[in-house]
Amino acid sequence: MIDVSRSKFEELVAEALDLIPPDLAKVMDNVVVVVVDDPPETGLLGLYTGIPLTERGEWYSGVLPDRIEIYRNPTLAICETEADVVEEVQITVVHEIAHHFGIDDDRLHDLGW
């Protein structure tokens, strides 16, 4: 396990978000990404909670933002180097953003994520 400060980990998440292609980033709507130290259940590196873009209809307005949580401690627990952390954060951010776009775990698995 490697130790990465919370502020550095937050920077890595921000850098991963900056890697999202601009055309996709423009489409993201009403979503917040936060770093949380520990997940609500073991085995999670990230979690998307909300209403995916593909399920929103005319009724969608005035709702709280969707939430993407990236979990610091479990990520650090599976990494040995800072390069490992960078890679795992990038993978987790992409995975959770895919859920925002309505892509489920089975499809992500089929796509190699």
Side-chain angles (χ1 to χ4, degrees):
M1 178 172 152
I2 184 169
D3 184 30
V4 174
S5 71
R6 181 168 179 108
S7 62
K8 177 62 177 176
F9 194 88
E10 289 172 346
E11 286 177 29
L12 296 177
V13 170
E15 289 169 6
L17 289 168
D18 287 343
L19 296 175
I20 303 301
D23 289 343
L24 286 179
K26 283 192 286 188
V27 179
M28 291 177 65
D29 182 47
N30 200 29
V31 62
V32 63
V33 179
V34 297
V35 171
V36 177
D37 283 335
D38 296 304
E41 59 186 73
T42 59
L44 294 177
L45 301 180
L47 181 66
Y48 168 77
T49 306
I51 302 168
L53 294 174
T54 55
E55 295 179 17
R56 296 178 184 179
E58 293 178 19
W59 57 268
Y60 185 86
S61 68
V63 299
L64 292 173
D66 293 359
R67 184 175 172 97
I68 294 174
E69 295 180 347
I70 307 299
Y71 301 116
R72 180 175 162 263
N73 289 333
T75 301
L76 298 180
I78 65 168
C79 295
E80 295 181 13
T81 67
E82 189 168 319
D84 292 342
V85 176
V86 169
E87 180 179 7
E88 199 57 56
V89 165
Q90 290 173 353
I91 290 168
T92 304
V93 166
V94 166
H95 183 99
E96 301 310 327
I97 287 174
H99 290 320
H100 177 65
F101 281 98
I103 302 171
D104 65 17
D105 283 330
D106 290 337
R107 182 66 179 135
L108 282 169
H109 181 68
D110 291 345
L111 294 170
W113 290 95

